[in-house]
């Protein structure tokens, strides 16, 4: 798919706008970061040309001005909440964020555990951080929130939280996911800064919804699909329309909380910082779209992906039927169907013909390559192997890996099987490991391995729910996978 989004223009406009906000705020700006700091694959899928690393590139361009606070909700730690795109818990995602930020030498100030009420798992997490010399703060539930502003903006409310000492003019406040306590942390900091006589400001870094696109634009509908579990609904910003006579798009949670937030900000700073929720945002995304038709098509494909994910999550009891119905409604609103996801039909036809699990991958050149379960490897491993063979111009009848190599590895795996009632196969990771070893003596395999990065961003479909191991490897390889909501075995434990 052609690039429809100007990445360089985005970095320039977004960076310039942030610097203006810092200047207008006084000495310091607390910038609440919505969405993902790293790996923003949703944005890169619906805005072809948007890089998953865009936000990090932007922060690195002004790194001398930046320090970062990471928030995590104690209740999410206690519930072992999962970040769906990586399949890891929120506390592990904080560790991953810390490692990644330190590796690129962005200044991490601290981690804040919010909504803390002595939850045991959150206390254990705090100890893990302090034992690794990570500066950690505890924020409790804000007394009086959301209705009693007199208590909220007092030493009993935000003042009860410890003040986080910061030194840079731009303080990024981020979290592993929604509900992490970013806003409350920003407001708590503003309260303490004000008591110290420091003028500081607050703003939100958002990508979606895009405020200057129409309400029913597919990109904004794709955002609704991605947050269906949060019940986010895009709406016209009535505050913005009344103040400026200008149409702007925001979402229900921001609109509902704005009158309270505006009141709190005015109490803390002594002035009316913003007239509308849209005013709070730093979002130049809409100005960088250069091919609206391509963006619309990409967004429609994302809604289809989200629908298939929701029905599989429902099958696995990881979401409720309301989420499925909500995304199905959005799909119908756009007038799209599974027929528009071209990789699905060949996958299901091959699976029906062979009476076996099948995975199909659509290459960027348009060809659709399939792979099926066989006695040695999973359908996903087979499809990836066939795809890199095709891209390397290796004939289909020539085996890239000899059974003589694969069978001993499968025998070892059988010996460590956790469920002896399940027929074992080599998964994607196993096969890639075999390839990397054999590449030392086989130039054809070395050439094929060099094609693996070309699978990043490709669409794929499976005729069954993949085992976690293969699903995770597709995620790591950035293959945009969807699946039928069916298990290929009746066994309750089937991961391999």
């Amino acid at each position: 798919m052609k690039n429809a989004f100007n990445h360089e223009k985005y970095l320039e406009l977004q960076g310039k706008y942030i610097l203006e906000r810092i200047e207008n705020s006084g000495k310091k700006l607390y910038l609440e970061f919505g969405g993902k700091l790293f790996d923003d694959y949703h944005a890169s899928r619906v805005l072809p040309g948007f890089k998953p690393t865009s936000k990090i590139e932007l922060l690195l361009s002004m790194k001398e001005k930046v320090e970062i606070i990471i928030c995590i909700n104690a209740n999410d730690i206690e519930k072992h909440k999962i970040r769906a795109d990586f399949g890891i818990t929120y506390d592990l995602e904080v560790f991953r964020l810390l490692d990644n930020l330190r590796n690129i030498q962005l200044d991490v100030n601290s981690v804040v555990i919010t909504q803390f009420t002595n939850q045991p798992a959150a206390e254990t997490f705090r100890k893990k951080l302090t034992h690794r010399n990570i500066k950690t703060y505890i924020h409790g539930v804000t007394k009086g929130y959301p209705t009693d502003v007199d208590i909220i903006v007092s030493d009993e409310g935000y003042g009860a939280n410890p003040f986080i000492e910061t030194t840079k003019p731009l303080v990024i406040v981020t979290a592993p996911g929604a509900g992490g306590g970013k806003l409350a942390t920003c407001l708590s900091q503003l309260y303490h800064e004000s008591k110290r006589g420091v003028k500081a400001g607050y703003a939100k870094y958002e990508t979606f919804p895009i405020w200057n696109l129409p309400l029913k634009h597919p990109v904004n509908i794709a955002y609704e699909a991605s947050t269906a579990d949060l019940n986010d609904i895009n709406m016209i910003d009535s505050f913005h329309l009344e103040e400026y006579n200008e149409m702007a798009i925001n979402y229900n949670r921001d609109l509902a909380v704005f009158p309270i937030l505006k009141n709190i900000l005015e109490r803390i700073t002594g002035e009316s910082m913003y007239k509308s929720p849209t005013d709070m945002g730093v979002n130049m995304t809409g100005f960088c779209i250069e091919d609206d038709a391509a963006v619309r098509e990409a967004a429609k494909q994302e809604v289809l992906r989200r629908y298939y994910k929701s029905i599989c999550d429902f099958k696995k009891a990881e979401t409720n039927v309301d989420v499925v119905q909500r995304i199905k409604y959005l799909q119908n609103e756009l007038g799209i169907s599974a027929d528009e996801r071209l990789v699905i039909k060949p996958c299901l036809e091959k699976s029906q013909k062979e009476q076996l699990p099948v995975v199909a991958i659509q290459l960027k050149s348009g060809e659709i390559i399939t792979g099926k379960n066989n006695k040695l490897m999973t359908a996903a491993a087979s499809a990836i192997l066939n795809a890199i063979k095709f891209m390397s111009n290796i004939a289909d009848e020539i085996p890239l890996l000899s059974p003589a190599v694969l069978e001993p590895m499968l025998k070892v795996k059988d010996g460590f099987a956790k469920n002896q009632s399940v027929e074992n196969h080599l998964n994607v990771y196993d096969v890639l490991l075999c390839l990397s070893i054999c590449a030392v003596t086989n130039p054809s395999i070395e050439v094929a391995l060099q094609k693996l990065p070309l699978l990043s961003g490709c669409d794929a479909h499976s005729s069954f729910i993949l085992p976690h191991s293969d699903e995770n490897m597709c995620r790591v390889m950035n293959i945009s996978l969807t699946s039928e909501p069916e298990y290929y075995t009746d066994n309750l434990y089937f991961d391999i």
Side-chain angles (χ1 to χ4, degrees), residues 74-210:
N75 296 313
D76 291 340
I77 301 172
E78 196 71 17
K79 294 183 293 186
H80 303 289
K81 191 170 182 181
I82 299 290
R83 176 172 161 168
D85 53 348
F86 282 100
I88 61 175
T89 56
Y90 274 27
D91 52 345
L92 289 179
E93 172 62 4
V94 169
F95 292 153
R96 193 183 79 94
L97 279 171
L98 285 166
D99 287 343
N100 287 343
L101 290 167
R102 292 191 296 187
N103 285 340
I104 58 176
Q105 299 181 328
L106 278 171
D107 183 6
V108 179
N109 177 292
S110 56
V111 174
V112 182
I113 302 176
T114 64
Q115 298 284 309
F116 185 77
T117 55
N118 298 309
Q119 296 92 332
E123 176 59 24
T124 300
F125 177 68
R126 183 192 66 80
K127 289 178 180 177
K128 288 179 180 179
L129 290 171
T130 54
H131 290 174
R132 298 298 294 269
N133 299 315
I134 304 297
K135 192 163 51 173
T136 309
Y137 293 87
I138 298 294
H139 283 190
V141 178
T142 303
K143 190 174 180 179
Y145 191 84
T147 55
D148 196 336
V149 177
D150 289 332
I151 293 180
I152 296 167
V153 187
S154 74
D155 288 345
E156 294 180 73
Y158 290 137
N161 294 326
F163 178 55
I164 303 167
E165 297 283 353
T166 58
T167 59
K168 305 286 182 69
L170 179 59
V171 182
I172 302 299
V173 182
T174 188
K182 302 185 296 290
L183 173 59
T185 299
C186 290
L187 296 177
S188 176
Q189 286 295 106
L190 286 185
Y191 175 79
H192 284 288
E193 297 281 16
S194 178
K195 291 202 71 174
R196 286 163 170 73
V198 176
K199 186 180 180 183
Y202 162 80
K204 290 188 70 172
Y205 187 124
E206 296 281 13
T207 309
F208 304 106
I210 298 179

Side-chain angles (χ1 to χ4, degrees), residues 40 278 280 385 466 477:
D40 196 346
T278 302
M280 295 190 302
L385 200 61
L466 291 183
M477 295 172 69

Side-chain angles (χ1 to χ4, degrees), residues 35-48:
K36 298 175 179 66
L37 193 56
F38 288 90
D39 312 311
D40 196 346
Y41 291 116
H42 173 83
S44 66
R45 288 193 297 265
V46 301
L47 300 170

Side-chain angles (χ1 to χ4, degrees), residues 68 107 211 225 237 263 327 405 434:
I68 299 170
D107 183 6
W211 66 273
D237 185 344
N263 193 1
I327 301 177
V405 173
C434 286

